[in-house]
Amino acid sequence: MTASEIKAHARTLGFDVCGIAPAADHPELKFYREWLDRGYAGEMAYLHRTAERRADVRNVLPAARTVIVTATVYNTDRPYAIECADAARAQIARYAWGDDYHDVIGARLESLLAWMRASSEAPFDARAYVDTGPVQERVYAQHAGVGWIGKNTCIINPDLGSWVFLGAIICSLPLEVDAPSLDQCGTCTLCLEACPTTAIVAPGVLDSTRCISYLTIEQRGAIPEEHRAGVGSHVYGCDICQEVCPWNAVAPRSDDPAWQPRPAWDRVDLLTLSQRSDEDLTAALRGSPMKRTKIQGLRRNVAVALDNCGMSDPGV
Ligand code: B12
Ligand code: SF4
Ligand code: SF4
């Protein structure tokens, strides 16, 4: 089983890009602890708890030799939030419109792994992760040639842009590795300038505690008073630093049914969303990544967004 056979099989499973990085002491991994020490992880305690394992995939799988990284386009044919003039539209991040990527990508990675086990002459150790594992997926993606880490901190593939989910298989096989991706941000600073809450504090450095994605998804309890206005009409996540990126100007779209917008979130306005019953929201959140905040968190965000638009939440 060769690296190119793995990549070819990955394509048949719906992955748009697949690259292979060495399980090595990559210099970018050292930045992680400094980022934590600066308090940029906010209340995401799991990032502190897993710091040791995140420092090197060989702390997760001692026999690791390579990391197979996949990227999957989730972009669909809806306009960007920055093109929407309606302040009362509920802004929901594009990645959250369809099915939960943890389930979809996770199942595809397991299929790839099962195929690798059936195709390999020798047994090997491996672990597949998407998002929630103790792996700095973007560092390995860059070293697997999948894309570079942009100033907005996202992985940008020169052909696909950054609307991609990453996935990783840590593995003990000494597969042929790819050349790392080269930084193509150049002198551009559009994402830093466009961030409504100045959360990108330096190129490639994000302070989560200011990021709308963190505030609307990860922040427990109330959104701190000083950050509420900055949230605007975002009710789940934020895409602005990717929408302004020139590499997403003509981003490819996926026709995969998994990523198509669910009717409940599709161009919905804040008032309509606030008036949905718990039963309707429960049904829409089933199998959706948005179930992370639960109904309670979503209602909290909608109330803040309504307030920002000068409207009051009729349910409060
Ligand atoms: C925690 C987390 C968040 C946090 C923090 C984000 C952040 N930028 O760090 C919050 C909640 C804010 C968040 C938001 C989003 N996230 Co998120 N998130 C993660 C998660 C679970 C861990 C990331 C992490 O550890 N961050 C801490 C930083 C310090 O580590 P890092 O991202 O690995 O960055 C390394 C390099 O950038 C490098 N580095 C950074 N700066 C510098 C500077 C110098 C000088 C050097 C040398 C190195 C260096 O070192 C870092 C550490 O090794 C990953 C999945 C994973 N397991 O990796 C998904 C992940 C990064 N998220 C993802 C997505 C889709 C999003 C959102 C787009 C969702 C949305 N629309 O709301 C936003 C994007 C916001 C943004 N601009 O990043 C995708 C990104 C896909 C892509 N194309 O890159 C991932 C990979 C999940 C996945 N499997 O697809 N996320
Ligand atoms: S996701 Fe939004 S708030 Fe977070 S860094 Fe990007 S533009 Fe700023
Ligand atoms: S907007 Fe410009 S600086 Fe920011 S990630 Fe895209 S190319 Fe890089």
Side-chain angles (χ1 to χ4, degrees):
M1 183 183 56
T2 63
S4 32
E5 284 166 347
I6 293 171
K7 291 174 191 174
H9 193 71
R11 282 203 71 87
T12 68
L13 293 170
F15 296 115
D16 294 294
V17 182
C18 176
I20 302 177
D25 198 9
H26 298 297
E28 297 86 353
L29 292 167
K30 294 195 173 50
F31 183 77
Y32 185 71
R33 275 189 192 277
E34 189 187 330
W35 185 81
L36 290 179
D37 291 345
R38 288 195 207 169
Y40 291 161
E43 293 174 3
M44 295 184 286
Y46 75 98
L47 293 176
H48 287 274
R49 270 199 311 275
T50 52
E52 189 60 38
R53 279 173 286 158
R54 286 172 185 272
D56 192 318
V57 289
R58 289 167 294 189
N59 298 338
V60 178
L61 189 79
R65 300 283 297 276
T66 46
V67 183
I68 302 164
V69 183
T70 61
T72 310
V73 171
Y74 61 82
N75 186 33
T76 52
D77 67 353
R78 298 295 188 275
Y80 286 174
I82 50 169
E83 292 162 358
C84 174
D86 182 3
R89 170 82 57 81
Q91 296 302 345
I92 298 173
R94 184 162 293 264
Y95 87 92
W97 293 349
D99 295 343
D100 192 337
Y101 65 103
H102 299 97
D103 303 335
V104 178
I105 304 290
R108 290 177 190 172
L109 287 174
E110 288 302 336
S111 299
L112 181 58
L113 193 48
W115 174 87
M116 284 170 59
R117 290 202 192 283
S119 311
S120 172
E121 283 165 15
F124 62 92
D125 286 343
R127 283 197 198 164
Y129 292 109
V130 49
D131 190 48
T132 53
V135 184
Q136 296 317 107
E137 292 171 353
R138 301 202 260 205
V139 175
Y140 292 95
Q142 177 163 287
H143 284 274
V146 167
W148 76 95
I149 300 170
K151 289 180 192 170
N152 62 8
T153 80
C154 294
I155 283 291
I156 307 172
N157 176 280
D159 300 317
L160 304 178
S162 68
W163 306 116
V164 292
F165 293 125
L166 300 179
I169 298 177
I170 309 171
C171 127
S172 64
L173 292 169
L175 300 164
E176 187 187 341
V177 298
D178 290 281
S181 295
L182 295 175
D183 186 338
Q184 297 190 57
C185 280
T187 56
C188 176
T189 51
L190 287 173
C191 52
L192 285 98
E193 289 149 23
C195 174
T197 55
T198 55
I200 309 171
V201 293
V205 185
L206 183 133
D207 177 356
S208 301
T209 66
R210 305 180 67 86
C211 175
I212 296 167
S213 183
Y214 170 86
L215 292 166
T216 55
I217 304 174
E218 302 296 332
Q219 173 85 57
R220 300 289 166 253
I223 296 177
E225 189 82 47
E226 69 269 27
H227 294 311
R228 287 189 199 163
V231 163
S233 50
H234 290 88
V235 299
Y236 197 95
C238 170
D239 284 335
I240 292 178
C241 56
Q242 294 185 86
E243 292 187 350
V244 299
C245 180
W247 293 93
N248 285 334
V250 282
R253 292 156 177 177
S254 169
D255 54 12
D256 189 330
W259 317 130
Q260 302 313 306
R262 293 184 169 199
W265 322 127
D266 196 5
R267 290 166 288 189
V268 66
D269 63 83
L270 290 168
L271 217 48
T272 307
L273 196 53
S274 75
Q275 287 164 347
R276 290 242 162 84
S277 66
D278 279 359
E279 292 71 42
D280 286 354
L281 288 179
T282 304
L285 291 176
R286 200 165 294 130
S288 152
M290 288 174 63
K291 64 181 180 291
R292 183 161 177 79
T293 61
K294 306 196 178 76
I295 292 181
Q296 203 188 352
L298 187 58
R299 289 209 188 282
R300 172 200 67 179
N301 297 342
V302 173
V304 169
L306 278 168
D307 197 40
N308 286 337
C309 294
M311 297 188 274
S312 61
D313 186 341
V316 176

